[in-house]
Amino acid sequence: MMKLTATTEIRARANDQAATHLQQILQQRRLISLYQPIVDLRQRSIHGWEALSRGPFESQLHHPLALFQQAREEDLLVALEQLSKERAIEGFAHQALPGRLFLNVSPDLLVQPKHQPGQTLALLERYGLDPKKLVIELTEQQPTHDYDLMRQAIDYYRDMGFKIALDDLGSGYSGLRLWSELRPDYVKIDRHFVHQVKNDRVKQDFLRFINNMARSLGTQVIAEGVETLAELEVLQELGIELVQGYYFSRPQSQPVSELSINLPGTHSPQSPLINQEEQAKALLCKVRCIQPDMSVAEAVEIFRQDEELFSLPVVDHQNRPRGLLLRNQLMSTLLRPFGQELNYRKPVSNLMHDQPLIVEAELSLEEVSQQIIDRRREHLDDDFIITCWGKYLGIGQVVDLLRTMTELKVRNARQANPLTLLPGNGPIQETLDTWLQRRQPLVVCYLDLDNFKVFNDTYGYALGDELLKSLASSLQKSLHPHEDFIGHIGGDDFVAICRSWDWQERMLRVLHDFSHHSLEFYSEEDRAAGGIHADDRFGVRRFFSFVGVSIAALSTKGRDGVNAHMLAADVSHLKHFAKQVDGSSLVLQTEEGQKVVWPSDSLPHGYQ
């Protein structure tokens, strides 16, 4: 009994100390704000920063869980979160960090009587921050029941120009319900689904589902907890563009505001190769940039001196884009009653478009085009800013993009196979040569249809062409759109140059997809028989099974100095082994030897 009493007293003293520490933190404003970057893989830049609050290092309330739990017990959660917001906004503004600021807020706090509206907006005004830069990140710590009041609070924040993020989807009490009720601008996926995702098909399927649903709802997905390059590559392959985690940076009070790490799709060995003429840099126009504090009158004079100038990029002292001053929008404002008198002496930051399209110089023109399409209608024709690692290079114009895209499509059409519209021999050779020069690990796959001639003779060339297009469709649907290259050599011969880490699984998907859809081209009688009775090349009547696909796959790993002609000869030889396997097959040649990947229990005659 005495021992129990002593333990109780120790706990009571600890609670009293924690309560005292909390009061000191609030009174002395001894809260530390750390910032962790949220990275945009598409733009290769920092999209924003999540602000994380910590108690003093020497305090037992340094860890956020202990800090906020103590505040909840002492009924001081509103005061603590208010101080957290103030310290975060203050540090963000003083360091002039690029992008948006993500502030964590407990959902139940928004509906508490002590919560006073307007405080956050007042803080932004005090530190000179645009409300559009702020994202309210809802973090579930307690079950949320009053969705109507929550929705009202969120609508209030949105009316002030704030964005909304839902944190840790998949770990909270009612994440999907909150998503449905609040329709956030961002949804953050819990790190559990990112950890070792490369080896977990269920996690991949979950992430793919969430990302597809987010796109349909107009929500951006942020994947948290990225710690390895392998995780990052899978996320990029799944189409998730915003990521966060220790792989980039741990939370810091004074973070570096520029990326110092190679991202997939940039300069890593596995990065997709895009010719310079197909990148945003091909549209680069060198245009003078101006500072945010330049007066409107000075900017007007620059426009007057150059009638061909439609916009002026606005950059900060570190040469990072902050906005775009649009000629038409500026002149429209100045032509209003008292427009010149009211605006001439103001800084251009007051009238600039603060959310222009900003693209990296090495971004593909196809992706640039898609981002332009995704813009709001009133900004479809605006110039866009081109950067290199977040630093201003110049601008691009939509008319130049349209002209270049048209020229590229005409050129590619001339070199494409007329039946499947896949790249022909020229682009295949160019791509293989270029990738080999970069010494990128490749797997060259040669695909050949089995029993295709008999099918053609029996059903006619028109249906044979449809069967070829069906295989082309299976390849395009199954292989990676950026990491892999698909070409049509001619006839029933195709080639795929693969750099995707799961290329075997993708090729097996091609075999499965084609075998399923190819049956639709046969008559009901032949489907029931399992094939066709027809004459072979010697005029002998015999039975032919359904059309299959033989895939000969050759890895370049361990083959230094190999060239395209050597690979072509070796993969052609390997194809003969693959065609000895009954039905569809996938045969792989590596530095260790040949291997029948599928069907796993089949070996061609004499195959070692």
Side-chain angles (χ1 to χ4, degrees):
M1 183 71 177
M2 291 179 62
K3 183 177 181 181
L4 187 62
T5 302
T7 302
T8 304
E9 290 178 356
I10 292 173
R11 288 176 178 171
R13 282 200 300 270
N15 288 337
D16 290 342
Q17 290 177 354
T20 301
H21 286 166
L22 179 60
Q23 291 286 354
Q24 292 174 347
I25 290 171
L26 294 174
Q27 292 170 6
Q28 301 172 15
R29 302 178 76 251
R30 297 185 63 200
L31 210 59
I32 302 169
S33 287
L34 307 179
Y35 302 90
Q36 187 175 40
I38 297 170
V39 177
D40 188 327
L41 295 179
R42 193 183 213 183
Q43 294 290 347
R44 298 190 307 172
S45 62
I46 293 176
H47 179 80
W49 303 84
E50 180 180 1
L52 303 164
S53 296
R54 301 287 188 270
F57 287 106
E58 73 281 1
S59 170
Q60 66 189 87
L61 298 180
H62 173 67
H63 195 278
L65 291 180
L67 177 66
F68 281 88
Q69 180 58 37
Q70 188 66 37
R72 191 178 295 277
E73 292 175 3
E74 301 293 328
D75 196 24
L76 292 172
L77 187 60
V78 172
L80 179 61
E81 292 222 10
Q82 179 61 22
L83 178 58
S84 297
K85 286 191 288 187
E86 182 172 352
R87 297 290 285 163
I89 292 171
E90 179 184 20
F92 182 82
H94 285 169
Q95 297 182 66
L97 295 176
R100 301 182 187 276
L101 174 62
F102 286 68
L103 286 181
N104 288 288
V105 174
S106 302
D108 55 326
L109 180 70
L110 299 179
V111 294
Q112 287 189 14
K114 292 183 180 180
H115 180 258
Q116 298 179 9
Q119 290 182 327
T120 305
L121 192 59
L123 285 172
L124 295 176
E125 292 176 353
R126 183 194 309 174
Y127 293 103
L129 287 180
D130 189 336
K132 295 178 182 178
K133 282 184 169 287
L134 191 66
V135 181
I136 300 295
E137 184 172 325
L138 302 179
T139 304
E140 258 192 308
Q141 297 174 355
Q142 298 290 330
T144 300
H145 301 295
D146 199 334
Y147 291 97
D148 289 335
L149 281 176
M150 180 87 70
R151 194 162 43 246
Q152 292 175 22
I154 294 303
D155 289 343
Y156 174 76
Y157 274 132
R158 279 209 170 105
D159 289 343
M160 290 190 289
F162 302 159
K163 300 289 185 182
I164 305 299
L166 181 61
D167 193 21
D168 290 340
L169 183 73
S171 69
Y173 298 93
S174 51
L176 290 175
R177 171 76 186 274
L178 273 176
W179 190 358
S180 172
E181 292 283 343
L182 305 181
R183 298 297 175 92
D185 303 285
Y186 301 89
V187 60
K188 302 183 82 171
I189 299 176
D190 182 64
R191 66 188 62 195
H192 164 78
F193 297 98
V194 175
H195 181 60
Q196 296 185 346
V197 65
K198 181 174 181 177
N199 303 316
D200 195 322
R201 183 63 182 271
V202 173
K203 289 182 179 180
Q204 294 174 28
D205 290 341
F206 174 83
L207 291 172
R208 186 180 292 108
F209 165 75
I210 290 298
N211 198 39
N212 290 338
M213 185 164 66
R215 285 178 176 174
S216 67
L217 294 174
T219 300
Q220 288 184 277
V221 168
I222 302 174
E224 293 186 296
V226 180
E227 297 184 356
T228 67
L229 177 61
E231 292 169 350
L232 186 62
E233 289 175 337
V234 174
L235 292 172
Q236 187 178 44
E237 185 176 320
L238 293 173
I240 294 175
E241 297 171 0
L242 300 180
V243 292
Q244 178 182 355
Y246 288 170
Y247 180 77
F248 303 99
S249 172
R250 291 179 177 271
Q252 301 176 49
S253 58
Q254 294 183 322
V256 177
S257 60
E258 297 177 13
L259 290 177
S260 59
I261 189 168
N262 284 340
L263 303 177
T266 60
H267 303 297
S268 65
Q270 291 76 31
S271 66
L273 182 67
I274 305 171
N275 294 329
Q276 290 194 11
E277 62 182 353
E278 298 178 23
Q279 296 173 341
K281 66 174 68 173
L283 308 174
L284 189 66
C285 297
K286 294 290 186 178
V287 172
R288 171 184 175 179
C289 55
I290 59 177
Q291 298 289 312
D293 57 357
M294 174 182 278
S295 70
V296 170
E298 292 176 280
V300 169
E301 185 59 31
I302 295 174
F303 278 124
R304 282 176 177 166
Q305 292 174 10
D306 188 350
E307 292 297 325
E308 299 297 320
L309 192 61
F310 297 103
S311 63
L312 280 172
V314 182
V315 304
D316 61 18
H317 64 283
Q318 295 181 333
N319 206 33
R320 294 185 305 233
R322 285 292 174 260
L324 199 64
L325 190 65
L326 304 170
R327 175 194 284 267
N328 289 342
Q329 184 175 318
L330 174 63
M331 296 308 172
S332 176
T333 301
L334 296 178
L335 289 174
R336 294 172 186 166
F338 308 106
Q340 296 183 20
E341 293 84 349
L342 292 173
N343 295 289
Y344 253 36
R345 295 183 180 180
K346 290 183 178 179
V348 294
S349 57
N350 282 31
L351 297 182
M352 70 182 184
H353 174 37
D354 61 358
Q355 295 293 326
L357 176 59
I358 303 174
V359 301
E360 276 288 309
E362 294 185 9
L363 195 68
S364 73
L365 294 182
E366 186 176 347
E367 290 183 279
V368 175
S369 177
Q370 184 58 53
Q371 291 192 40
I372 287 175
I373 293 173
D374 292 340
R375 292 198 291 192
R376 296 176 61 176
R377 184 176 295 276
E378 61 266 30
H379 291 293
L380 276 177
D381 297 328
D382 291 354
D383 296 342
F384 50 92
I385 297 175
I386 300 175
T387 58
C388 180
W389 292 103
K391 298 296 184 71
Y392 171 74
L393 284 183
I395 64 167
Q397 296 184 321
V398 174
V399 64
D400 292 335
L401 174 65
L402 293 174
R403 183 186 301 113
T404 304
M405 289 286 288
T406 301
E407 292 172 354
L408 288 173
K409 287 184 178 298
V410 170
R411 188 195 68 183
N412 292 336
R414 289 172 180 164
Q415 300 184 66
N417 184 284
L419 177 63
T420 60
L421 299 181
L422 290 175
N425 291 321
I428 293 172
Q429 184 74 33
E430 292 173 8
T431 301
L432 190 54
D433 285 340
T434 306
W435 288 2
L436 286 173
Q437 288 172 10
R438 289 208 168 186
R439 297 189 176 184
Q440 295 177 299
L442 310 172
V443 177
V444 181
C445 298
Y446 194 115
L447 294 87
D448 185 22
L449 291 181
D450 304 320
N451 299 327
F452 179 68
K453 183 178 184 305
V454 173
F455 179 90
N456 241 359
D457 293 343
T458 303
Y459 287 99
Y461 288 101
L463 209 56
D465 287 348
E466 293 301 316
L467 191 62
L468 292 175
K469 288 194 282 188
S470 175
L471 176 57
S473 175
S474 295
L475 284 165
Q476 291 172 306
K477 185 166 54 177
S478 302
L479 297 191
H480 194 286
H482 303 302
E483 295 291 333
D484 302 329
F485 176 90
I486 308 167
H488 188 176
I489 298 173
D492 61 338
D493 293 328
F494 294 78
V495 68
I497 309 172
C498 301
R499 292 175 301 183
S500 52
W501 59 270
D502 58 345
W503 71 269
Q504 286 193 27
E505 181 181 336
R506 293 176 181 277
M507 279 299 171
L508 293 177
R509 206 178 301 160
V510 171
L511 294 178
H512 174 77
D513 189 63
F514 177 76
S515 64
H516 174 73
H517 289 291
S518 62
L519 294 179
E520 300 172 0
F521 294 92
Y522 287 86
S523 67
E524 186 175 343
E525 180 183 355
D526 286 340
R527 283 200 299 270
I532 302 172
H533 287 89
D535 295 339
D536 62 17
R537 65 182 65 185
F538 304 107
V540 178
R541 193 76 172 176
R542 65 186 186 89
F543 180 77
F544 294 87
S545 57
F546 296 129
V547 173
V549 184
S550 293
I551 304 177
L554 187 65
S555 173
T556 63
K557 184 179 179 181
R559 294 168 61 97
D560 294 335
V562 68
N563 58 41
H565 295 293
M566 294 167 61
L567 284 176
D570 290 345
V571 79
S572 179
H573 178 72
L574 185 63
K575 183 189 71 170
H576 294 294
F577 283 97
K579 291 183 76 69
Q580 293 180 47
V581 179
D582 290 336
S584 295
S585 63
L586 172 57
V587 174
L588 173 63
Q589 172 80 50
T590 66
E591 54 184 329
E592 290 84 17
Q594 295 94 12
K595 176 185 177 183
V596 178
V597 178
W598 192 86
S600 57
D601 58 348
S602 298
L603 287 173
H605 180 68
Y607 198 88
Q608 300 297 327

